[in-house]
Amino acid sequence: MNLENTCYIVGAASLDGVRLSPRAGDYVIAADGGYRSLKARGIEPDFVMGDFDSLGYRPDHPNVETHPVMKDDTDLGLAVRWALAHGYRRLVMAGALGGRLDQTIASLQTLRGLTDAGAQGWLIGCGWVVTAVQNGTLTFPAGMEGTVSVFSSGDAARGVTLRGLLYEITDAELRCAMPLGVSNSFTGAAAAVRVTDGTVYVLWQGDALPDGLEVRHGAD
């Protein structure tokens, strides 16, 4: 198991404004066109996979896995499943937001899938960070600024409590048909998003994961 290390997965969408900072022991996967983005930054991926329709060629790399264009998953999804199968439980996905709307929705569904598998994932891009919290609590350090939004990832998320934000709620129910949690704001204080029954997407403005960010699973 790779519980302590992070697996970075880089897709074909733009990395403009995204800060990537893999540490020693982390693993970097280029998903199709993400190979070009990583090479442009001087980052050599550990593994390259995809159908390479975005990249346009099969990379000359010692660790390449080629998939057919006609398949039942995105290149990002294939990379996530590979990472989960190899024990990674902390996944940072860049180059998977923006561009085609259908691909962005697919990235959100992939995020939900890895959360259901017991892992923690973050999508970073287009000036935003997105994660999913399932039956647990996401805490933010003091000093955060900007917009933060919370949406139900399923039909309903219950027991949703927001603290340290401009608009606070206690044990509320968020439903997928009503965007009650949109356009909240950090106040500079430490903040928390808690859900006791269900899964929520939490989105906030930024280009990297802040120090002090923590996700705790289960009831407090």
Side-chain angles (χ1 to χ4, degrees), residues 4-171:
E4 299 298 327
N5 296 330
T6 298
C7 181
Y8 286 82
I9 301 173
V10 178
S14 173
L15 292 184
D16 289 348
V18 175
R19 288 180 287 166
L20 294 177
S21 53
R23 301 176 181 178
D26 291 340
Y27 200 79
V28 180
I29 300 176
D32 200 326
Y35 180 75
R36 180 184 293 112
S37 299
L38 286 170
K39 296 293 283 188
R41 294 194 174 199
I43 300 175
E44 184 68 24
D46 298 292
F47 189 50
V48 186
M49 66 188 308
D51 55 28
F52 304 118
D53 60 344
S54 297
L55 188 60
Y57 63 93
R58 187 180 188 274
D60 181 14
H61 189 279
N63 299 310
V64 180
E65 185 173 288
T66 304
H67 292 263
V69 174
M70 297 181 67
K71 58 187 186 301
D72 294 330
D73 206 347
T74 63
D75 293 319
L76 177 73
L78 292 173
V80 165
R81 288 215 302 271
W82 186 97
L84 293 175
H86 287 78
Y88 289 96
R89 291 299 177 265
R90 176 183 167 89
L91 286 73
V92 174
M93 297 163 284
L97 296 175
R100 285 172 46 182
L101 179 59
D102 58 346
Q103 291 287 346
T104 293
I105 293 174
S107 295
L108 291 170
Q109 292 186 325
T110 298
L111 173 63
R112 171 60 195 265
L114 72 87
T115 304
D116 289 347
Q120 193 64 48
W122 289 271
L123 292 164
I124 301 178
C126 300
W128 289 84
V129 179
V130 188
T131 194
V133 182
Q134 187 172 87
N135 302 335
T137 302
L138 170 65
T139 57
F140 294 95
M144 297 282 291
E145 299 178 345
T147 300
V148 55
S149 296
V150 183
F151 301 103
S152 175
S153 173
D155 181 55
R158 302 175 180 85
V160 178
T161 297
L162 308 181
R163 291 289 180 265
L165 301 177
L166 180 61
Y167 304 107
E168 295 188 333
I169 56 177
T170 301
D171 289 332

